[in-house]
Amino acid sequence: ITRIISAPSGHALLVGVGGSGRQSLSRLSAFIGQCTTVMIVISGKYSMNNLRTDLQAMYTKAGIKDEGVMFLFTDGQITNEKFLVFINDLLASGDIADLYASEDKDVIRNGVRSACKGAGIPDTPENLWSFFLSRIRKNLHMSICFSPVGDAMRSRARKFPALVNCTVIDWFQPWPKDALRSVGEKFLAEVEQLGPADGALRAGVVDFLPFSFEAVGHQSEKFIEVERRFAYTTPKSFLELIKLYTSMLGKKLLALEDKQYRLSNGLDKLKETAEQVAGLEEVLKEKAVVVEQKAKEADAFAEEVGREKTKVNAEA
C-alpha cells in the first residue's frame, strides 16, 4: 500500500472481508508516506453536498497547501450510489466535474499562482488549473476498502470502471496459521494465569486458538455447501475469539477466587469455633472439679446434720 500511494495518481483498491486489516494497514501506510488520513463521517443526513464539501477540503489541502492526503473510503460509507460518480472522476483524472463553481476556481487559481510561477509555468488560467490538478494527482491518494461478498462490488465495477482500471487491486487473503498463532501468543502474553512463556499450558492454549479458528472455517465451507448460507471467519473473528477467551478466563478466575475466599473464610470460622469449644471444655472441666468438691462438702454437711438430728431425737 505504501508503494502504491508513493506514486502519482496512486490509488489502492483493497478487497477483503471485514476485519482483515485493510483500514489499519491503510492508516499505517499513510503514516509511513507522511500523509494525513481523511475518512468521511456518515450520518443519516449525509448527502452529495456533504461529500462535495469534504472533497473540497481534501483538494485544498492537497492542491493548494501541497500536503499529502489519503482518502480512506469503504463500501459501508456508500449510502448513495451517486457518491461513486465523484470517486470515479477522482480516480480517473482528479478533475471532478461540478466540484467547484467558477468563482471558487478563481480562488484556487490565485492560491497556486505563486507556486506555478515558481515552477516557471506561465500563470494562465488553464496552466493554473492544470498545475492545481497535477498537485492533486501527486498528493491525494485513495484507499478504497471493498468486500467481495455479494454482487455489489461486481455491479459497481461495471458502472464505474475507474474503480478497477485506475487502482492497484490488493486482495487480502486469510491469515496463515503461523500468523494466527503469533497474534494469539502476543495477546495472551499478558495473561499471567497461563504460566511461563515456555510452559505446556500456555503452548497448548496458543496452539488451540488457530486450530479451533480453522476448524470453524472448514465447517463454514460445509455449511455453505449444505445450507447455501454464508458464515465467514475473518481475522476480526479471531481477535474476538481471543477477547472472548480472556474475558471468560477472567470471569472464571474471579469466581474461583470468590469460592476460595468463602472456603478459606469458612475454614477460619470452623477453626475459631473449635478453639472456642476447646476453651469452653477447659472451663467446663474446671467447673466440674469445683462442683464435685461442693457436692462432697454438701454430702459431708448433710451427714453431720443427720447425726446431730439423731442425737437431738435421742436426748428428747
Side-chain angles (χ1 to χ4, degrees):
I1 300 173
T2 305
R3 178 179 57 81
I4 295 171
I5 66 174
S6 63
S9 299
H11 307 290
L13 175 60
L14 311 181
V15 183
V17 294
S20 54
R22 298 166 299 171
Q23 295 187 39
S24 299
L25 290 177
S26 296
R27 295 179 186 276
L28 177 60
S29 299
F31 176 78
I32 295 173
Q34 297 181 343
C35 294
T36 302
T37 303
V38 178
M39 196 171 185
I40 60 176
V41 180
I42 297 297
S43 64
K45 298 181 180 179
Y46 196 88
S47 63
M48 290 289 291
N49 289 330
N50 298 115
L51 179 60
R52 181 182 288 107
T53 302
D54 289 336
L55 286 172
Q56 288 174 354
M58 291 183 232
Y59 269 49
T60 299
K61 184 174 290 187
I64 298 178
K65 297 181 180 179
D66 198 20
E67 298 178 4
V69 178
M70 171 183 276
F71 180 18
L72 182 56
F73 187 71
T74 69
D75 50 3
Q77 296 172 328
I78 306 176
T79 57
N80 186 344
E81 291 293 322
K82 293 181 181 179
F83 289 177
L84 294 176
V85 176
F86 283 176
I87 302 301
N88 188 78
D89 291 343
L90 191 159
L91 295 173
S93 63
D95 189 3
I96 301 177
D98 300 327
L99 182 62
Y100 291 104
S102 57
E103 57 272 15
D104 295 330
K105 288 185 177 181
D106 292 335
V107 174
I108 291 174
R109 291 188 181 99
N110 292 329
V112 298
R113 188 179 301 275
S114 59
C116 185
K117 288 182 178 180
I121 302 173
D123 58 343
T124 63
E126 293 78 11
N127 289 342
L128 291 173
W129 188 251
S130 297
F131 182 79
F132 172 72
L133 292 179
S134 67
R135 277 190 169 182
I136 294 297
R137 288 188 286 269
K138 181 186 73 170
N139 294 325
L140 180 58
H141 308 279
M142 284 202 69
S143 179
I144 306 173
C145 304
F146 275 6
S147 172
V149 180
D151 297 328
M153 178 180 171
R154 185 182 300 109
S155 174
R156 289 164 179 165
R158 286 197 302 265
K159 295 178 182 178
F160 307 99
L163 289 174
V164 292
N165 293 336
C166 301
T167 59
V168 177
I169 303 176
D170 187 0
W171 284 82
F172 279 62
Q173 302 296 332
W175 287 2
K177 189 173 183 178
D178 291 340
L180 294 174
R181 191 185 188 285
S182 177
V183 171
E185 187 174 11
K186 177 176 176 57
F187 276 88
L188 295 178
E190 300 177 358
V191 183
E192 299 177 355
Q193 291 78 5
L194 295 179
D198 55 350
L201 176 60
R202 182 178 295 275
V205 173
V206 171
D207 289 336
F208 178 76
L209 288 175
F211 167 77
S212 62
F213 182 74
E214 290 186 342
V216 172
H218 295 323
Q219 292 300 320
S220 298
E221 295 175 359
K222 294 181 181 179
F223 186 68
I224 295 173
E225 295 176 359
V226 176
E227 300 291 339
R228 299 299 178 185
R229 296 173 61 186
F230 291 88
Y232 296 98
T233 53
T234 67
K236 186 176 182 180
S237 304
F238 184 70
L239 297 178
E240 290 295 331
L241 170 64
I242 297 175
K243 184 178 179 181
L244 175 63
Y245 172 76
T246 54
S247 175
M248 292 182 64
L249 179 63
K251 291 179 180 179
K252 291 294 184 181
L253 288 174
L254 288 176
L256 288 175
E257 289 176 357
D258 181 63
K259 291 180 179 179
Q260 181 183 8
Y261 171 76
R262 293 169 62 184
L263 177 61
S264 176
N265 191 36
L267 292 175
D268 291 340
K269 291 292 184 182
L270 289 174
K271 183 178 179 181
E272 182 181 351
T273 303
E275 292 175 353
Q276 291 178 354
V277 170
L280 291 174
E281 288 179 348
E282 292 295 329
V283 174
L284 183 61
K285 289 178 181 180
E286 295 176 358
K287 295 292 185 181
V289 173
V290 174
V291 169
E292 185 179 358
Q293 182 66 29
K294 294 294 184 180
K296 290 180 179 180
E297 293 177 357
D299 291 340
F301 182 73
E303 290 178 0
E304 184 178 356
V305 170
R307 287 194 297 270
E308 292 294 334
K309 184 178 180 181
T310 302
K311 183 178 179 181
V312 170
N313 291 334
E315 291 178 354

